[in-house]
Amino acid sequence: MKRCVVVGSGAREHALAWALAKSGEVVVTPGNAGIAAHGLACVATPAIDLEADLFVIGPEQPLVDGLADQLRTQGKTVFGPGTAGAQLEGSKSFMKEFLADAGVPTAAYGDFSDERSALAFLETMSAPYVIKTDGLAAGKGVLVTNDLAAARRDVLEKLSGAAFGDAGRTIVIEEGLVGEECSLHVLCDGTTAVPLVAAQDFKRVGDGDEGANTGGMGAYAPMPSLTSDQVVEIMRLIITPTLEELRRRDLEFRGVLYAGVMRTASGPKLLEYNVRFGDPEAEVLVPLYGDSLFDVLLQCAQGRLENRTLPASGAAVTVVLAAEGYPYSPRKGDVIDGIGDDGQLLEAREDVIVFHAATLRNAEGRFITRGGRVLAVTGLGASVSDARRRAYEGADRISFKGSIRRSDIALTVSTVAR
Ligand code: AMP
Ligand code: GLY
């Protein structure tokens, strides 16, 4: 039996491990209490000391830090780019320069590390104002606002290091784009690129897209409003030139390139690249590919992905249950009711899966909260609305003190192509 090591400890890694375990033996490092309870082996041993046929690196930080390079140096087969390719996510100013060289449509921008020139550039922009940390900030380093005074304050807080430490000492100020967003994940083996179905995530903490940006409060896939012609257009305008630029720079990218795309009135524009599966997008994408995932990720890692459409079945919706205070200062340590010893719903269901993002077991063996996003409850169905009903049925059965969630995930999913 083939063996796979998954690196990471969140709901994305839970989803990956769960799907990969359908066709192989899976070990997660370090994993979390909920992943272990679900019958998937979790070990504290670092990936570098483990043996497997395939290594799948979940989060961005180890990719940026060069874990994929270290493993490849040891002769391991790895799904995830090396540190050079990971710069597409690790540094927004690198990404923006790269996009300009590649000719990929994106928002106009400037990058700054001093207050005077940043504020002067800001005055030349019109609302919505968009200010981003250059470095990694767990999806929280972006302010989008119509309020110029708030934008000015944000520039000063980021550059001073007060808001995000060193990640914010360089900032990117961007033209605000307007349109519908989609997350297009593209599997790449260094040469061939194959898109998965498009997903949409819900980044703001509150219903109606109000409140702070978070890592993501829920997601659904596929996106009925995105036609296959529109996917072809995104591939042509955004992904193909990116792959050509990667080749020009001699950067081999084996992993998933996650394009955050804004579909504007003047065509699709790239908001950002991530170099790993989205979280919570993985919690809806991975279940749609089920049994084929192991082989496809292995083919990517080996540089022998075939250019073909990957079959996805049905639809999925995930609802994130977060702790009170998220995304700023989440409370921790509250007992979670409604899940059993295996970390799943008390009344077992095939069409609802509880992926654990940040849970622990207390001395009595009960699951307790351990961070901002606690659980991602995924419902599966024939359509997005079926999947949505199941996700919320599952979420309704789970409770912990102060828990927050959005009630409008996938509520108004357009079935009309735009
Ligand atoms: P990012 O981390 O760059 O994806 O930004 C997080 C979120 O902020 C995106 O998903 C968008 O919703 C929003 N955003 C980022 N850049 C822009 C932009 N240039 N115009 C409008 N919204 C943006
Ligand atoms: N859901 C957004 C991200 O993973 O970056």
Side-chain angles (χ1 to χ4, degrees):
M1 202 183 207
K2 286 176 302 219
R3 183 177 148 98
C4 174
V5 168
V6 175
V7 178
S9 63
R12 166 185 44 212
E13 289 73 30
H14 188 168
L16 285 166
W18 168 82
L20 291 164
K22 292 177 188 296
S23 6
E25 182 193 342
V26 175
V27 174
V28 190
T29 171
N32 67 39
I35 302 177
H38 208 181
L40 301 156
C42 294
V43 298
T45 316
I48 208 83
D49 297 322
L50 294 168
E51 293 298 331
D53 303 296
L54 173 66
F55 287 75
V56 176
I57 302 175
E60 59 276 19
Q61 192 72 56
L63 292 166
V64 169
D65 293 344
L67 179 59
D69 297 317
Q70 289 164 27
L71 290 167
R72 288 194 177 104
T73 305
Q74 290 187 345
K76 308 268 169 66
T77 303
V78 185
F79 181 87
T83 186
Q87 282 305 301
L88 279 177
E89 175 166 2
S91 163
K92 297 237 187 246
S93 52
F94 172 88
M95 172 189 66
K96 294 296 269 186
E97 269 178 47
F98 182 102
L99 298 180
D101 288 352
V104 170
T106 184
Y109 81 106
D111 56 349
F112 305 94
S113 34
D114 78 285
E115 291 174 4
R116 269 186 48 178
S117 46
L119 291 174
F121 183 78
L122 185 63
E123 303 297 330
T124 69
M125 306 297 277
S126 48
Y129 306 98
V130 180
I131 295 136
K132 302 183 176 186
T133 57
D134 180 59
L136 294 178
K140 298 170 207 155
V142 179
L143 178 74
V144 181
T145 179
N146 288 320
D147 177 351
L148 181 59
R152 283 201 201 97
R153 275 197 306 278
D154 192 63
V155 165
L156 299 180
E157 277 171 19
K158 281 180 176 146
L159 285 176
S160 70
F164 291 98
D166 286 344
R169 287 191 202 275
T170 297
I171 57 169
V172 168
I173 300 179
E174 277 186 15
E175 168 198 12
L177 299 177
V178 180
E180 192 181 24
E181 268 184 79
C182 69
S183 302
L184 190 69
H185 288 67
V186 181
L187 300 179
C188 302
D189 75 346
T191 315
T192 303
V194 175
L196 303 183
V197 294
Q200 193 166 49
D201 83 338
F202 293 74
K203 293 208 162 86
R204 302 284 186 135
V205 72
D207 280 2
D209 289 332
E210 297 287 337
N213 256 318
T214 70
M217 294 297 291
Y220 69 90
M223 269 181 85
S225 68
L226 195 74
T227 64
S228 51
D229 284 355
Q230 287 165 332
V231 173
V232 169
E233 190 189 22
I234 295 172
M235 293 298 284
R236 179 173 63 81
L237 292 173
I238 295 178
I239 304 298
T240 302
T242 298
L243 295 178
E244 283 166 4
E245 182 63 24
L246 283 167
R247 267 195 293 278
R248 237 189 322 276
R249 294 180 181 220
D250 216 8
L251 293 179
E252 188 173 65
F253 195 104
R254 293 185 179 186
V256 60
L257 196 54
Y258 153 5
V261 175
M262 187 75 93
R263 296 160 65 204
T264 75
S266 55
K269 295 194 177 174
L270 189 81
L271 288 170
E272 63 160 353
Y273 270 131
N274 295 309
V275 298
R276 35 90 197 162
F277 281 102
D279 189 353
E281 287 92 330
E283 291 94 296
V284 291
L285 286 173
V286 156
L288 302 185
Y289 292 92
D291 291 2
S292 63
L293 198 73
F294 200 123
D295 281 342
V296 171
L297 300 194
L298 184 62
Q299 285 166 14
C300 258
Q302 292 172 333
R304 54 176 191 90
L305 187 65
E306 287 159 36
N307 198 351
R308 65 184 191 281
T309 304
L310 297 172
S313 57
V317 173
T318 198
V319 176
V320 169
L321 307 184
E324 183 181 320
Y326 179 69
Y328 300 113
S329 48
R331 50 180 285 159
K332 295 178 188 165
D334 292 304
V335 171
I336 304 171
D337 287 315
I339 53 177
D341 210 35
D342 62 354
Q344 299 298 302
L345 293 181
L346 289 174
E347 182 197 335
R349 297 178 57 152
E350 291 264 295
D351 53 4
V352 180
I353 312 154
V354 182
F355 294 120
H356 287 235
T359 61
L360 267 184
R361 282 186 189 250
N362 66 11
E364 291 88 54
R366 301 284 311 274
F367 280 103
I368 58 171
T369 64
R370 197 205 56 184
R373 293 189 292 178
V374 177
L375 300 167
V377 184
T378 295
L380 304 174
S383 65
V384 172
S385 57
D386 275 355
R388 173 174 203 276
R389 187 170 42 76
R390 291 170 184 158
Y392 276 101
E393 280 169 12
D396 285 346
R397 290 188 164 75
I398 301 174
S399 61
F400 52 89
K401 200 167 170 197
S403 95
I404 55 172
R405 68 179 205 198
R406 281 182 63 158
S407 67
D408 62 351
I409 303 300
L411 178 60
T412 53
V413 173
S414 174
T415 51
V416 181
R418 279 181 247 180

